[in-house]
Short mmCIF file of all heavy atoms in Angstrom, two decimals:
data_model
loop_
_atom_site.label_atom_id
_atom_site.label_comp_id
_atom_site.label_asym_id
_atom_site.label_seq_id
_atom_site.Cartn_x
_atom_site.Cartn_y
_atom_site.Cartn_z
N HIS A 1 164.10 150.59 62.06
CA HIS A 1 163.18 150.52 63.18
C HIS A 1 162.37 149.23 63.17
O HIS A 1 161.80 148.85 62.16
CB HIS A 1 162.19 151.69 63.12
CG HIS A 1 162.78 152.99 63.56
ND1 HIS A 1 162.26 154.21 63.19
CD2 HIS A 1 163.85 153.26 64.34
CE1 HIS A 1 162.97 155.18 63.73
NE2 HIS A 1 163.94 154.63 64.43
N ASP A 2 162.32 148.59 64.32
CA ASP A 2 161.40 147.49 64.56
C ASP A 2 159.99 148.09 64.72
O ASP A 2 159.84 149.20 65.23
CB ASP A 2 161.82 146.78 65.85
CG ASP A 2 161.39 145.33 65.90
OD1 ASP A 2 160.70 144.89 64.97
OD2 ASP A 2 161.75 144.65 66.87
N PHE A 3 158.98 147.37 64.27
CA PHE A 3 157.57 147.74 64.51
C PHE A 3 157.16 149.07 63.90
O PHE A 3 156.21 149.70 64.37
CB PHE A 3 157.27 147.78 66.01
CG PHE A 3 157.71 146.56 66.76
CD1 PHE A 3 158.62 146.65 67.80
CD2 PHE A 3 157.21 145.32 66.42
CE1 PHE A 3 159.02 145.53 68.50
CE2 PHE A 3 157.61 144.18 67.12
CZ PHE A 3 158.52 144.29 68.15
N GLY A 4 157.84 149.53 62.88
CA GLY A 4 157.44 150.80 62.29
C GLY A 4 158.37 151.24 61.19
O GLY A 4 159.36 150.56 60.89
N PRO A 5 158.09 152.38 60.57
CA PRO A 5 158.86 152.81 59.41
C PRO A 5 160.31 153.13 59.75
O PRO A 5 160.59 153.81 60.74
CB PRO A 5 158.11 154.06 58.92
CG PRO A 5 157.38 154.56 60.13
CD PRO A 5 157.01 153.34 60.91
N ASP A 6 161.22 152.62 58.93
CA ASP A 6 162.60 153.06 59.01
C ASP A 6 162.65 154.54 58.66
O ASP A 6 161.74 155.09 58.03
CB ASP A 6 163.49 152.29 58.03
CG ASP A 6 163.61 150.82 58.40
OD1 ASP A 6 163.14 150.42 59.47
OD2 ASP A 6 164.18 150.06 57.58
N ARG A 7 163.77 155.19 59.02
CA ARG A 7 163.90 156.62 58.75
C ARG A 7 165.25 156.92 58.10
O ARG A 7 166.29 156.50 58.60
CB ARG A 7 163.78 157.43 60.05
CG ARG A 7 162.43 157.32 60.75
CD ARG A 7 161.28 157.76 59.86
NE ARG A 7 160.03 157.87 60.59
CZ ARG A 7 158.87 158.14 60.02
NH1 ARG A 7 158.79 158.30 58.71
NH2 ARG A 7 157.77 158.23 60.74
N LEU A 8 165.20 157.61 56.97
CA LEU A 8 166.39 158.17 56.35
C LEU A 8 166.38 159.66 56.64
O LEU A 8 165.44 160.37 56.27
CB LEU A 8 166.42 157.91 54.84
CG LEU A 8 167.61 158.52 54.09
CD1 LEU A 8 168.94 157.98 54.62
CD2 LEU A 8 167.49 158.26 52.59
N LEU A 9 167.43 160.13 57.32
CA LEU A 9 167.51 161.51 57.76
C LEU A 9 168.56 162.25 56.93
O LEU A 9 169.74 161.89 56.95
CB LEU A 9 167.86 161.58 59.24
CG LEU A 9 166.91 160.86 60.19
CD1 LEU A 9 167.41 160.95 61.62
CD2 LEU A 9 165.51 161.42 60.09
N HIS A 10 168.11 163.27 56.21
CA HIS A 10 169.02 164.12 55.45
C HIS A 10 169.69 165.10 56.40
O HIS A 10 169.03 165.82 57.15
CB HIS A 10 168.27 164.88 54.36
CG HIS A 10 169.15 165.73 53.50
ND1 HIS A 10 168.80 166.99 53.08
CD2 HIS A 10 170.38 165.49 52.99
CE1 HIS A 10 169.76 167.50 52.34
NE2 HIS A 10 170.73 166.60 52.27
N ASN A 11 171.01 165.16 56.35
CA ASN A 11 171.79 165.98 57.28
C ASN A 11 171.88 167.42 56.78
O ASN A 11 172.43 167.68 55.71
CB ASN A 11 173.19 165.38 57.44
CG ASN A 11 173.94 165.98 58.63
OD1 ASN A 11 173.56 167.02 59.16
ND2 ASN A 11 175.00 165.31 59.03
N ARG A 12 171.36 168.34 57.57
CA ARG A 12 171.41 169.77 57.24
C ARG A 12 172.06 170.55 58.38
O ARG A 12 171.74 171.72 58.63
CB ARG A 12 169.99 170.28 56.95
CG ARG A 12 169.33 169.53 55.79
CD ARG A 12 167.88 169.93 55.55
NE ARG A 12 167.31 169.12 54.47
CZ ARG A 12 166.04 169.20 54.07
NH1 ARG A 12 165.21 170.06 54.65
NH2 ARG A 12 165.60 168.43 53.09
N SER A 13 172.99 169.92 59.07
CA SER A 13 173.61 170.49 60.26
C SER A 13 174.68 171.51 59.91
O SER A 13 175.24 171.53 58.80
CB SER A 13 174.22 169.38 61.12
OG SER A 13 173.27 168.40 61.46
N THR A 14 174.98 172.35 60.88
CA THR A 14 176.12 173.26 60.84
C THR A 14 176.87 173.10 62.16
O THR A 14 176.31 172.56 63.13
CB THR A 14 175.67 174.72 60.66
OG1 THR A 14 174.73 175.05 61.70
CG2 THR A 14 175.02 174.92 59.29
N PRO A 15 178.14 173.52 62.23
CA PRO A 15 178.92 173.29 63.45
C PRO A 15 178.18 173.73 64.72
O PRO A 15 177.75 174.87 64.84
CB PRO A 15 180.19 174.11 63.21
CG PRO A 15 180.36 174.05 61.72
CD PRO A 15 178.97 174.14 61.18
N GLY A 16 178.00 172.78 65.62
CA GLY A 16 177.34 173.05 66.89
C GLY A 16 175.83 173.01 66.83
O GLY A 16 175.17 173.08 67.88
N LYS A 17 175.26 172.89 65.64
CA LYS A 17 173.80 172.84 65.50
C LYS A 17 173.43 171.65 64.64
O LYS A 17 173.80 171.58 63.47
CB LYS A 17 173.27 174.13 64.86
CG LYS A 17 171.75 174.13 64.71
CD LYS A 17 171.25 175.40 64.04
CE LYS A 17 169.74 175.38 63.87
NZ LYS A 17 169.24 176.59 63.18
N PHE A 18 172.69 170.72 65.21
CA PHE A 18 172.33 169.48 64.52
C PHE A 18 170.91 169.60 63.96
O PHE A 18 169.97 169.93 64.68
CB PHE A 18 172.44 168.29 65.46
CG PHE A 18 173.84 168.06 65.96
CD1 PHE A 18 174.29 168.68 67.11
CD2 PHE A 18 174.71 167.25 65.25
CE1 PHE A 18 175.58 168.49 67.56
CE2 PHE A 18 176.01 167.05 65.69
CZ PHE A 18 176.44 167.66 66.84
N GLU A 19 170.79 169.33 62.68
CA GLU A 19 169.49 169.41 62.02
C GLU A 19 169.37 168.28 61.01
O GLU A 19 170.22 168.14 60.12
CB GLU A 19 169.31 170.75 61.33
CG GLU A 19 167.95 170.90 60.65
CD GLU A 19 167.79 172.22 59.92
OE1 GLU A 19 168.70 173.07 60.02
OE2 GLU A 19 166.76 172.39 59.24
N PHE A 20 168.34 167.47 61.16
CA PHE A 20 168.08 166.36 60.25
C PHE A 20 166.64 166.47 59.75
O PHE A 20 165.73 166.79 60.52
CB PHE A 20 168.28 165.01 60.93
CG PHE A 20 169.70 164.75 61.38
CD1 PHE A 20 170.12 165.12 62.64
CD2 PHE A 20 170.60 164.14 60.52
CE1 PHE A 20 171.42 164.87 63.06
CE2 PHE A 20 171.89 163.89 60.92
CZ PHE A 20 172.31 164.26 62.19
N ALA A 21 166.43 166.16 58.48
CA ALA A 21 165.10 166.20 57.89
C ALA A 21 164.71 164.82 57.40
O ALA A 21 165.51 164.12 56.77
CB ALA A 21 165.06 167.20 56.73
N LEU A 22 163.47 164.42 57.69
CA LEU A 22 162.95 163.15 57.21
C LEU A 22 162.76 163.21 55.69
O LEU A 22 162.18 164.18 55.17
CB LEU A 22 161.61 162.83 57.86
CG LEU A 22 161.59 162.55 59.36
CD1 LEU A 22 160.16 162.44 59.86
CD2 LEU A 22 162.35 161.28 59.67
N VAL A 23 163.25 162.19 54.99
CA VAL A 23 163.02 162.10 53.55
C VAL A 23 162.35 160.76 53.26
O VAL A 23 162.62 159.76 53.91
CB VAL A 23 164.33 162.25 52.74
CG1 VAL A 23 164.91 163.64 52.93
CG2 VAL A 23 165.35 161.19 53.14
N GLU A 24 161.46 160.77 52.27
CA GLU A 24 160.72 159.56 51.92
C GLU A 24 160.64 159.42 50.41
O GLU A 24 160.79 160.40 49.67
CB GLU A 24 159.29 159.62 52.49
CG GLU A 24 159.21 159.68 54.00
CD GLU A 24 157.79 159.76 54.51
OE1 GLU A 24 156.88 159.97 53.67
OE2 GLU A 24 157.57 159.62 55.72
N ASN A 25 160.39 158.20 49.97
CA ASN A 25 160.16 157.96 48.55
C ASN A 25 158.68 158.12 48.24
O ASN A 25 157.83 157.89 49.10
CB ASN A 25 160.62 156.55 48.17
CG ASN A 25 160.77 156.38 46.67
OD1 ASN A 25 160.69 157.35 45.91
ND2 ASN A 25 160.98 155.16 46.23
N SER A 26 158.37 158.53 47.03
CA SER A 26 156.98 158.67 46.62
C SER A 26 156.46 157.33 46.12
O SER A 26 157.16 156.59 45.44
CB SER A 26 156.84 159.73 45.54
OG SER A 26 157.68 159.44 44.44
N ARG A 27 155.21 157.03 46.44
CA ARG A 27 154.61 155.73 46.15
C ARG A 27 153.79 155.79 44.87
O ARG A 27 153.03 156.73 44.65
CB ARG A 27 153.74 155.32 47.33
CG ARG A 27 153.02 154.00 47.16
CD ARG A 27 152.07 153.80 48.33
NE ARG A 27 151.30 152.57 48.20
CZ ARG A 27 150.26 152.29 48.97
NH1 ARG A 27 149.89 153.13 49.92
NH2 ARG A 27 149.59 151.16 48.80
N THR A 28 153.96 154.79 44.02
CA THR A 28 153.13 154.67 42.83
C THR A 28 151.86 153.89 43.17
O THR A 28 151.84 153.14 44.16
CB THR A 28 153.88 153.96 41.69
OG1 THR A 28 154.23 152.64 42.12
CG2 THR A 28 155.16 154.72 41.34
N PRO A 29 150.78 154.01 42.37
CA PRO A 29 149.50 153.37 42.72
C PRO A 29 149.57 151.86 42.88
O PRO A 29 148.82 151.30 43.68
CB PRO A 29 148.59 153.77 41.55
CG PRO A 29 149.18 155.02 41.00
CD PRO A 29 150.66 154.89 41.19
N LEU A 30 150.43 151.19 42.12
CA LEU A 30 150.49 149.73 42.17
C LEU A 30 151.64 149.21 43.04
O LEU A 30 151.96 148.03 43.00
CB LEU A 30 150.62 149.17 40.75
CG LEU A 30 149.47 149.51 39.79
CD1 LEU A 30 149.74 148.93 38.40
CD2 LEU A 30 148.14 149.00 40.33
N GLU A 31 152.23 150.09 43.83
CA GLU A 31 153.40 149.71 44.62
C GLU A 31 153.03 149.60 46.10
O GLU A 31 152.38 150.51 46.64
CB GLU A 31 154.49 150.77 44.44
CG GLU A 31 155.82 150.44 45.06
CD GLU A 31 156.85 151.50 44.73
OE1 GLU A 31 156.51 152.69 44.77
OE2 GLU A 31 157.99 151.13 44.40
N PRO A 32 153.40 148.51 46.77
CA PRO A 32 153.13 148.40 48.20
C PRO A 32 153.79 149.53 48.97
O PRO A 32 154.92 149.92 48.67
CB PRO A 32 153.73 147.04 48.58
CG PRO A 32 153.82 146.28 47.29
CD PRO A 32 154.06 147.30 46.23
N LYS A 33 153.11 150.05 49.96
CA LYS A 33 153.64 151.17 50.74
C LYS A 33 154.98 150.84 51.36
O LYS A 33 155.89 151.68 51.38
CB LYS A 33 152.63 151.55 51.82
CG LYS A 33 153.05 152.74 52.68
CD LYS A 33 151.98 153.07 53.71
CE LYS A 33 152.41 154.25 54.57
NZ LYS A 33 151.37 154.58 55.59
N SER A 34 155.12 149.61 51.86
CA SER A 34 156.34 149.25 52.58
C SER A 34 157.56 149.13 51.69
O SER A 34 158.67 148.98 52.19
CB SER A 34 156.13 147.93 53.34
OG SER A 34 155.33 148.14 54.48
#
């Protein structure tokens, strides 16, 4: 994504039904968010 957070979508779909869940990495205190 331009101008905002990229997205990694975990696929949890079944035939005929599409389902994606947002997944993110956890941030350490000394690590930049980006």
